[in-house]
């Protein structure tokens, strides 16, 4: 907790915030009213793709720019709502022609190319369940996910097919149709595949969108695998109500916004907010094919007049490494709102936004399972740096304690730690972990969904992330959240990133051990180690400060850019590493940041900025 607050000022010319009075917005909110702001069909059905695209394509926004695609090589392709509607209709017709029935699962394994977006929307129109896979996955994680999802159709590229699908195709008996974006014109199309562009060229541009029931499955998203084996969370068409309203309230999306979500659609952020939410809200969305590159990102923010930018802590940390001056070289007159998700956003990062862009960064919290933003720092409210913010209207969040009989008790005392729980009933809540009913059931106690994250709630209702339940450290009777300790390290000028674990200790139970990656120009000397230990001890006090530090060139992360503390711990203790299918590669790629378009989130030597793209 802190008294530190960043007040809100509105710049002349900014549109009025979508949520101006938090208390009033909560009081007046109802999911029924939120649903009424969308169109739906007269029979009570609703289809995500109709709301995202066709509703606009059939109205006055038909010629508004829906998607601007920035190719790696400098190519730009623009799609109006009408064009996106027609292209996705063609894709839906291809599925129809192939006899793929509604309910079957369509996987998409592709970089951020236009066909990915068209295929996702077209498959939703057909009533198929779509699962976008992160294109940097190797054959094994792909095989596991496509087996769990019983993928009937796969959309991919020739190059990805050769490397990743051909070796496992015989293990995928459910896979009937492989639709290829042929990106190797000098080579023949692989055997037993079909050229997507040709099929789409033959298909009509009109399609009768399936009137899906609100509870009909629409999206299958796998979790990041930060704490263990990834789970396949199922979301339904009715979720679009939450995608729409959370984009408006938490990201302050307005119709005329140019919105850039840097997450890759292989992760949930890249679908809920990298496809559905901006389109449903009638905005223009930017998609960058390339992986993370700080200079490129600054250029995109400026040249594309991005007004709302949704990114991830890893990306922010990577940009911070280059210094605020790199950002401040440009001006960003159109940029109005910056938000981040995926990991805790250190207070330093919130403030760095002001230095770099003249705007603080707004942290928000949610999970693959929640389908949409649940807790947020809103455009109109002061920010408490380090806090995830306040629950969205329509969302009831609480801090609870699990009891032995399986029930939960509310922790009503402010600032007490406990598990973050959400009252069920919001439309984008997952409806199951595919093939893992028991694991799903265990997430609930009565009306409460238990998130597995520990947090505390202050007297004003702001939620503060403590750590994942699995990562919390118990030392000499204290419960220590890694986030607090890591943030203390981040205040030191030498530190690029820090990951903190509990190491078993016969006396204390556990001691706090920190793994630290340094910024370029700093050497891992014993003197610096002593200096860092003293620095953090001064900030946190001896009970919470780490007893040991190890320097590392970078920290292990998921491809979505999250620090894998369980791996730091397993390695420290010489234990098996468990499921590492979502771990980013060792080879330093030049990008890869993003729950955003680039991909995951990152650190130190540019590891995998792809992650930052989620
Ligand atoms: P797995 O469930 O497979 O271990 P994961 O939980 O990392 O993976 P996601 O659903 O992508 O998979 O991530 C959600 C989690 O990310 C949250 O439960 C939380 O631990 C963390 N997270 C997301 N946003 C924030 C935030 N703003 N502050 C702190 N933690 C966050
Ligand atoms: Mg999780």
């Amino acid at each position: 907790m802190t008294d530190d607050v960043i007040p809100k000022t509105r710049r002349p010319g900014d549109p009025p915030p979508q949520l101006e009075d938090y208390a009033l917005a909560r009081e007046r909110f109802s999911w029924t009213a939120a649903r009424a702001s969308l169109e739906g069909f007269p029979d009570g059905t609703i289809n995500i793709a109709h709301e995202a695209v066709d509703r606009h394509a059939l109205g006055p926004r038909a010629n508004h720019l829906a998607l601007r695609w920035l190719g790696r090589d400098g190519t730009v392709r623009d799609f109006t709502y009408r064009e996106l509607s027609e292209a996705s209709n063609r894709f839906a017709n291809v599925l129809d022609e192939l006899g793929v029935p509604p309910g079957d699962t369509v996987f998409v394994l592709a970089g951020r190319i236009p066909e990915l977006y068209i295929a996702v929307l077209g498959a939703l129109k057909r009533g198929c369940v779509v699962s976008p896979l992160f294109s940097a996955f190797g054959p094994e994680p792909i095989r596991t996910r496509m087996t769990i999802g019983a993928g009937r159709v796969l959309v991919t590229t020739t190059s990805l097919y050769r490397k990743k699908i051909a070796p496992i195709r015989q293990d995928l008996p459910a896979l009937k149709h492989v639709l290829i974006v042929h990106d190797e014109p000098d080579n023949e199309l692989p055997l037993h595949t079909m050229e997507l562009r040709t099929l789409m060229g033959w298909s009509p541009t009109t399609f009768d969108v399936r009137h899906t029931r609100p509870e009909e499955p629409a999206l299958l998203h796998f979790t990041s695998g930060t704490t263990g084996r990834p789970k396949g969370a199922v979301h339904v068409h009715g979720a679009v109500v939450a995608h729409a309203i959370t984009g408006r309230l938490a990201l302050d999306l307005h119709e005329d916004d140019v919105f850039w979500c840097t997450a890759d659609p292989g992760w949930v952020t890249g679908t809920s907010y990298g496809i559905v939410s901006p389109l449903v809200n009638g905005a223009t969305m930017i998609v960058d094919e390339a992986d993370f590159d700080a200079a490129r990102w600054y250029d995109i923010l400026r040249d594309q007049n991005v007004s709302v930018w949704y990114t991830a802590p890893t990306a922010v940390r990577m940009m911070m490494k280059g210094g605020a001056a790199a950002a401040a070289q440009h001006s960003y007159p159109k940029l109005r709102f910056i938000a981040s998700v995926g990991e805790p956003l250190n207070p330093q990062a919130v403030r760095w936004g002001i230095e770099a862009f003249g705007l603080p960064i707004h942290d928000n919290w949610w999970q693959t399972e929640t389908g949409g933003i649940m807790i947020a720092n809103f455009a109109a409210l002061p920010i408490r740096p380090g806090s995830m913010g306040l629950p969205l209207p329509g969302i009831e969040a609480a801090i609870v304690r699990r009891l032995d009989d399986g029930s939960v008790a509310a922790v009503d005392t402010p600032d007490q730690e406990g598990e973050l729980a959400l009252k069920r009933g919001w439309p984008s809540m997952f409806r199951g972990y595919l093939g893992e009913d028991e694991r799903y059931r265990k997430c609930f106690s009565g009306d409460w969904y238990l998130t597995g994250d520990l947090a505390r709630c202050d007297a004003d209702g702001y939620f503060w992330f403590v750590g994942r339940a699995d990562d919390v450290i118990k030392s000499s009777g204290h419960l220590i959240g890694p986030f607090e300790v890591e943030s203390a390290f981040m205040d030191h000028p030498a530190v690029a990133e820090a990951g903190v674990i509990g190491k078993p200790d016969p006396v204390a139970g556990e001691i706090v051990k920190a793994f630290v990656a340094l910024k370029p120009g700093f050497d891992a000397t014993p003197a610096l180690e002593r200096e860092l230990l003293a620095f953090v001890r001064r900030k946190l006090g001896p009970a919470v400060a780490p007893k040991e530090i190890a320097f590392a060139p970078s920290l292990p992360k998921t491809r979505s850019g999250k620090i894998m503390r369980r791996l730091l711990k397993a390695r420290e203790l010489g234990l098996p590493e468990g499921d590492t299918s979502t771990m980013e590669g060792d080879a330093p790629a030049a990008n890869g940041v993003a729950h955003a378009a680039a991909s995951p989130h990152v650190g130190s030597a540019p590891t995998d900025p792809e992650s930052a793209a989620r």
Side-chain angles (χ1 to χ4, degrees):
M1 249 256 303
T2 168
D3 297 332
D4 186 17
V5 167
I6 301 178
K8 272 311 161 71
T9 48
R10 204 163 121 213
R11 300 177 309 183
D14 281 355
Q18 296 280 20
L19 180 151
E20 215 145 0
D21 180 331
Y22 177 73
L24 197 65
R26 272 190 84 77
E27 189 188 311
R28 294 202 175 148
F29 186 88
S30 83
W31 285 110
T32 312
R35 160 72 179 79
S37 72
L38 298 180
E39 201 165 64
F41 300 111
D43 52 3
T45 56
I46 189 162
N47 184 297
I48 295 178
H50 173 81
E51 300 303 325
V53 178
D54 291 3
R55 189 166 55 102
H56 304 301
L58 297 168
R61 297 187 77 69
N63 295 320
H64 190 73
L65 185 60
L67 190 168
R68 167 161 291 175
W69 178 78
L70 307 174
R72 218 184 283 275
D73 62 358
T75 316
V76 176
R77 278 180 71 188
D78 284 346
F79 295 83
T80 62
Y81 276 95
R82 188 198 313 268
E83 288 163 344
L84 199 53
S85 168
E86 290 180 357
S88 50
N89 281 345
R90 286 182 189 271
F91 185 85
N93 278 312
V94 169
L95 294 179
D96 193 6
E97 280 293 312
L98 293 172
V100 179
D104 271 14
T105 306
V106 174
F107 278 86
V108 185
L109 175 75
R112 288 175 296 280
I113 55 175
E115 286 79 0
L116 184 164
Y117 298 81
I118 291 163
V120 167
L121 292 163
L124 290 169
K125 287 184 172 184
R126 174 69 179 153
C128 290
V129 180
V130 202
S131 189
L133 292 174
F134 188 46
S135 59
F137 280 152
E140 191 48 38
I142 294 170
R143 193 182 63 79
T144 315
R145 285 162 179 73
M146 288 191 64
T147 303
I148 294 173
R152 174 64 60 99
V153 179
L154 173 69
V155 177
T156 189
T157 62
T158 310
S159 46
L160 288 170
Y161 184 87
R162 285 190 204 290
K163 277 186 259 168
K164 307 187 177 193
I165 303 299
I168 56 166
R169 179 127 187 212
Q170 71 282 2
D171 303 331
L172 301 170
L175 181 59
K176 290 285 176 282
H177 309 288
V178 177
L179 310 179
I180 293 264
V181 178
H182 197 30
D183 61 352
E184 293 182 354
D186 295 342
N187 289 325
E188 296 207 344
L189 207 62
L191 283 177
H192 310 300
T193 67
M194 285 171 283
E195 225 265 56
L196 178 61
R197 285 181 188 150
T198 309
L199 294 177
M200 282 179 58
W202 290 337
S203 298
T205 55
T206 54
F207 182 78
D208 282 334
V209 174
R210 181 173 164 82
H211 290 202
T212 34
R213 283 172 290 104
E215 285 302 307
E216 233 169 288
L219 291 156
L220 169 64
H221 258 297
F222 289 85
T223 60
S224 295
T226 315
T227 54
R229 189 163 40 88
K231 301 146 273 189
V234 177
H235 291 282
V236 296
H237 276 274
V240 68
V241 178
H243 296 147
I245 198 79
T246 55
R248 241 173 279 160
L249 300 181
L251 301 177
D252 198 39
L253 273 178
H254 290 66
E255 267 189 355
D256 291 328
D257 274 323
V258 176
F259 175 69
W260 186 24
C261 168
T262 58
D264 188 275
W267 312 106
V268 72
T269 309
T271 303
S272 293
Y273 298 96
I275 305 180
V276 182
S277 186
L279 294 177
V280 175
N281 282 301
T284 295
M285 65 182 203
I286 302 293
V287 170
D288 182 25
E289 184 190 24
D291 288 330
F292 175 83
D293 174 83
R296 181 179 171 98
W297 281 30
Y298 292 130
D299 287 347
I300 291 175
L301 288 167
R302 181 197 51 188
D303 297 345
Q304 300 304 328
N305 289 321
V306 172
S307 52
V308 179
W309 181 37
Y310 196 21
T311 190
T314 309
V316 174
R317 286 198 297 264
M318 288 178 74
M319 292 171 111
M320 284 169 77
K321 279 179 81 176
Q329 276 172 7
H330 303 310
S331 66
Y332 311 88
K334 292 285 167 37
L335 192 58
R336 185 182 83 244
F337 188 77
I338 311 177
S340 155
V341 71
E343 274 199 302
L345 187 69
N346 311 97
Q348 298 79 355
V350 175
R351 292 192 175 282
W352 178 81
I354 303 178
E355 256 182 86
F357 303 104
L359 299 165
I361 303 181
H362 298 74
D363 189 19
N364 59 53
W365 176 96
W366 58 292
Q367 306 178 305
T368 306
E369 290 86 341
T370 70
I373 302 169
M374 298 283 109
I375 296 179
N377 286 282
F378 296 92
L381 268 58
I383 297 182
R384 301 189 179 188
S387 161
M388 307 187 288
L390 296 159
L392 265 83
I395 299 300
E396 203 177 320
I399 301 295
V400 304
R401 211 157 32 87
R402 296 191 195 218
L403 303 178
D404 289 344
D405 65 0
S407 64
V408 293
V411 174
D412 288 329
T413 325
D415 304 323
Q416 281 282 314
E417 283 163 16
E419 186 163 356
L420 177 61
L422 303 166
K423 182 78 94 33
R424 19 163 136 225
W426 73 96
S428 63
M429 191 183 85
F430 70 136
R431 301 300 199 272
Y433 286 135
L434 201 58
E436 297 190 273
D437 291 347
E438 185 54 25
R439 212 169 174 188
Y440 175 68
R441 267 195 301 277
K442 280 192 176 146
C443 296
F444 295 89
S445 172
D447 271 351
W448 292 100
Y449 162 62
L450 303 167
T451 65
D453 282 348
L454 297 188
R456 55 178 181 255
C457 180
D458 69 22
D460 299 321
Y462 281 75
F463 283 82
W464 300 77
F465 184 75
V466 172
R468 292 161 183 274
D470 295 356
D471 290 338
V472 166
I473 302 157
K474 296 174 199 78
S475 184
S476 303
H478 300 283
L479 271 186
I480 300 169
F483 174 46
E484 192 183 7
V485 184
E486 290 161 8
S487 285
F489 274 103
M490 295 294 290
D491 272 337
H492 192 282
V495 176
E497 57 181 358
V500 165
I501 62 160
K503 179 178 169 185
D505 178 84
V507 180
E510 285 183 312
I511 58 155
V512 179
K513 171 152 190 174
F515 295 81
V516 173
L518 297 174
K519 286 187 183 153
F522 290 91
D523 290 329
T525 59
L528 181 58
E529 182 180 337
R530 280 194 301 277
E531 181 183 324
L532 283 175
L533 280 172
F535 177 82
V536 178
R537 198 180 162 97
R538 265 197 310 278
K539 281 178 157 299
L540 299 173
V544 176
K547 301 277 182 288
E548 285 180 25
I549 294 186
F551 290 112
S554 67
L555 302 180
K557 292 185 202 74
T558 63
R559 287 204 173 270
S560 50
K562 301 175 193 225
I563 296 171
M564 293 174 94
R565 296 179 190 79
R566 70 173 160 98
L567 225 64
L568 288 171
K569 191 159 180 168
R571 288 175 182 174
E572 175 71 24
L573 305 182
L575 298 173
E577 296 195 350
D579 188 304
T580 53
S581 63
T582 62
M583 199 178 142
E584 66 180 11
D586 294 331
N591 21 21
V593 181
H595 241 243
S599 14
H601 337 178
V602 197
S604 136
T607 20
D608 186 7
E610 284 230 4
S611 317
R614 285 178 288 156

